[in-house]
Amino acid sequence: TRGDKSLIAVHPLPPPEGIDPRLVLLTDPFSPRADAYRALRRKLTGPGAPKTIAVTSAKPEEGKTSCAANLALALRETSNERILLVEANLKAPGLAKLFGFEPPVCFARQMAKNRDSTRASWTVAEQFEPLHVLAVDPSSKTSPMLDPVAFANAMEQLVEAGYDHIIVDTPPALGGADVNIIADAVDGIVVVAWIKKSKKSLVKQAVDQLKPATILGVVTLEG
C-alpha cells in the first residue's frame, strides 16, 4: 500500500444540488474547455512528473481557483489514483463555496494544530470519489497569514499519506509573500492568466517574483 492512509480521515459529503458552472469537468464534460483541462493533465503527468502542484495567478479573480479545481477533477478521471485538492488561500478562501459544502474541519485550523507534529491525522471532504478536498472554512477565526513551517509540514505529511497528486490553490502572486512560501513546499507552479483580464506585464512580474521556483507553465483561460 502506498503511503499511510491511516493519517487521513475521510468525511463523505453529498454533491451539491446545483453544481457551480465553473466546474466544467462536472457540468460540461464533453466541452472544449473540459478537454483543455485534460490536455493540461497530460502535460503534468507521466514519469518524473511533479506530485505537488500549486496554481496561482498574478492578481485576484483571474481563474486560478477554478483552474485548480478542474485540474484536480481531470486527474480524478484517469484512474483510481488518490487526488487531493488543498486550499492555501487563507485571506480569501473560495473552494468550499465553489464545491458547495462546509468544510468538516477547516484546513487552516488543522495546519495550526498539526504544526509541530511529525505524525498527525487530517480530515478531508469527499464529494466526488476519489478526489479529496482540504478547504478553509471562511467563517473560521484563523490567522490570514500562512505559517511557512505549518504549511511545509502539512505538505510533507500529506505526501507521506500516499496521495498520487496534490493540487494547491494559492493566493495571487503579487501583493504578498504567501505564494513564495507555498513554492518552497511544492514541486512546481502553474500560473493562470485570463485572456480578457490579465495584463501580460503583471503575469511576467508574477513569474519573476516566483523564481527560482519551478514554473510548469502559464495557462490562459478564455472565460
Side-chain angles (χ1 to χ4, degrees):
T1 304
R2 290 169 304 173
D4 188 350
K5 294 182 181 180
S6 67
L7 297 173
I8 305 299
V10 181
H11 191 97
L13 292 172
E17 290 184 9
I19 295 176
D20 193 301
R22 288 176 291 172
L23 299 175
V24 293
L25 266 293
L26 298 174
T27 59
D28 201 3
F30 304 110
S31 66
R33 288 174 67 199
D35 283 341
Y37 286 112
R38 294 184 184 103
L40 178 61
R41 174 193 72 204
R42 288 191 290 274
K43 289 180 179 179
L44 296 174
T45 55
K51 177 175 283 192
T52 53
I53 299 172
V55 180
T56 193
S57 59
K59 303 291 283 183
E61 298 181 11
E62 293 186 336
K64 60 184 168 45
T65 298
S66 56
C67 180
N70 281 297
L71 174 57
L73 288 165
L75 287 163
R76 165 184 171 264
E77 290 183 337
T78 55
S79 67
N80 60 357
E81 290 186 327
R82 301 176 71 216
I83 317 299
L84 177 66
L85 177 60
V86 176
E87 181 163 51
N89 188 353
L90 307 191
K91 292 187 181 73
L95 271 188
K97 182 179 180 182
L98 180 62
F99 280 91
F101 70 81
E102 291 186 12
V105 186
C106 174
F107 175 53
R109 284 190 178 279
Q110 294 190 67
M111 270 199 298
K113 177 174 70 73
N114 296 341
R115 182 184 190 274
D116 300 313
S117 173
T118 55
R119 180 182 169 82
S121 63
W122 298 85
T123 300
V124 300
E126 182 186 74
Q127 286 176 304
F128 305 99
E129 189 180 6
L131 172 62
H132 292 169
V133 181
L134 266 170
V136 173
D137 186 344
S139 65
S140 183
K141 301 296 185 216
T142 56
S143 170
M145 303 298 292
L146 190 65
D147 182 328
V149 173
F151 183 77
N153 191 36
M155 294 304 294
E156 188 175 314
Q157 290 187 21
L158 292 165
V159 169
E160 287 176 3
Y163 284 105
D164 298 283
H165 304 283
I166 299 177
I167 306 300
V168 183
D169 177 37
T170 81
L174 302 180
D178 279 3
V179 179
N180 293 86
I181 291 170
I182 293 163
D184 289 339
V186 298
D187 297 331
I189 299 178
V190 169
V191 180
V192 176
W194 194 2
I195 287 177
K196 295 179 181 177
K197 192 171 185 178
S198 303
K199 295 182 178 178
K200 287 183 179 179
S201 59
L202 294 182
V203 173
K204 183 181 184 302
Q205 190 178 331
V207 170
D208 289 341
Q209 179 183 313
L210 290 166
K211 291 176 181 176
T214 300
I215 306 297
L216 300 171
V218 176
V219 174
T220 53
L221 304 179
E222 293 187 0

